[in-house]
Amino acid sequence: MNNDALAQLAQVMRKSDLKKRYLKPVRLITPLQSAWVRCLLDVWGEKYGGSVGPDSGKSSVIGRLMIRKEWNDRESERILEVVDNLHKQGYKGNELFIKAQQLINPQNSVSNLLDRANEQEDADIVEAVICRLFEPANPIRHVAIKYYCERKCAQDISIELARLTSITPESAWRRIKWCRELLEASVYHAIVADIEANKQKMAA
C-alpha cells in the first residue's frame, strides 16, 4: 500500500479541512446509524481483507438484523440492546441470530427468520460504494482498508502515521478518528441513497 496517501493526513489541521479536501459534502450521522454502517464495513473488511475482527460475531448478527430492513433509531437501539444482552448470556453465531430474531419479531417463523440479505452481496455493495466515493489515493480510503480489511486498530494506524510524518501520536490518532467518522457518514448516506433509488425504480 502506498504510504504517501496516508502521510497526506499530516497536512490536514482540522476535520473540516479533511472533509473539504477529500469528500463531497456529507452530513454526519447518529451513533445508531454509525453502528449500522460499521456492521456493513465489518462484512466488507472480512471479505476484502482477511482475519475476523475481535467482536465480529456479535457485529455480524447486528448487521444481519439491520441490513436492508425498514428501521429507525428506536428499533435499532432495541436490536443493539437485545443482541448485546444475548451475547453476554453466551449466545453466539447463528444461535445468537435466531434467538435475537425471535425476541425482536416473535410472530415470524424460523424459515422467515433465516431469509436475510446475503453477506457476500452486502460486502460487494460496500466495495462498489467505497470505489465510487474515494479515489485510490484518498487517505480516508487507506484508513478504511487498514482498519476494516487489515484489522489494524486506530492506535496502530496512528503510530504508523506518526512514524511516516513529524506529527505526534496524539495528533495522528485525532486524524484517524476524523477519517473513520467521515468514512462512516459517507458510506451510510451513499448506501441509503442507493436503497431509496432502487425502491423508486421497483415502484415505477
Side-chain angles (χ1 to χ4, degrees):
M1 178 170 293
N2 184 356
N3 284 328
D4 290 345
L6 188 67
Q8 291 175 57
L9 289 173
Q11 301 162 22
V12 178
M13 297 298 113
R14 289 181 293 275
K15 185 177 176 181
S16 57
D17 295 337
L18 180 66
K19 197 172 169 184
K20 278 179 203 165
R21 193 181 296 190
Y22 296 108
L23 284 176
K24 291 179 180 175
V26 63
R27 297 187 316 279
L28 294 183
I29 55 178
T30 68
L32 288 169
Q33 291 166 339
S34 178
W36 181 75
V37 78
R38 278 179 196 166
C39 293
L40 285 171
L41 285 162
D42 269 336
V43 169
W44 167 72
E46 193 172 336
K47 178 174 180 182
Y48 286 91
S51 59
V52 175
D55 211 20
S56 64
K58 185 171 76 170
S59 178
S60 173
V61 168
I62 292 166
R64 285 165 67 180
L65 292 167
M66 287 183 176
I67 290 168
R68 304 226 185 99
K69 307 292 182 195
E70 291 294 335
W71 64 284
N72 53 42
D73 280 0
R74 184 183 297 172
E75 186 61 19
S76 302
E77 205 163 35
R78 186 166 163 254
I79 288 170
L80 291 169
E81 190 180 335
V82 166
V83 172
D84 195 46
N85 287 337
L86 289 172
H87 191 258
K88 284 174 184 172
Q89 290 172 39
Y91 287 94
K92 291 178 183 174
N94 217 46
E95 190 184 15
L96 173 60
F97 174 66
I98 292 171
K99 186 69 176 173
Q101 268 282 27
Q102 287 170 343
L103 292 173
I104 292 159
N105 295 309
Q107 72 277 14
N108 285 357
S109 67
V110 172
S111 61
N112 287 337
L113 301 181
L114 297 174
D115 182 19
R116 61 179 176 83
N118 183 283
E119 287 185 6
Q120 296 297 309
E121 187 184 331
D122 295 322
D124 292 338
I125 288 167
V126 175
E127 171 71 3
V129 163
I130 285 175
C131 290
R132 190 173 81 220
L133 293 178
F134 305 106
E135 294 292 326
N138 190 314
I140 298 172
R141 178 173 175 160
H142 282 252
V143 170
I145 291 167
K146 285 180 182 295
Y147 189 83
Y148 286 101
C149 299
E150 296 177 11
R151 301 293 182 183
K152 291 183 177 177
C153 68
Q155 186 177 0
D156 286 344
I157 305 169
S158 305
I159 291 167
E160 187 178 340
L161 174 58
R163 197 180 295 131
L164 286 169
T165 64
S166 59
I167 63 173
T168 65
E170 292 77 17
S171 295
W173 183 86
R174 246 193 329 273
R175 285 161 173 78
I176 301 307
K177 181 172 178 258
W178 296 340
C179 285
R180 288 184 56 210
E181 288 170 355
L182 293 172
L183 166 76
E184 290 170 8
S186 302
V187 172
Y188 171 83
H189 288 298
I191 289 174
V192 168
D194 286 352
I195 290 171
E196 285 306 311
N198 285 337
K199 275 187 198 167
Q200 287 174 14
K201 210 180 284 180
M202 288 169 69

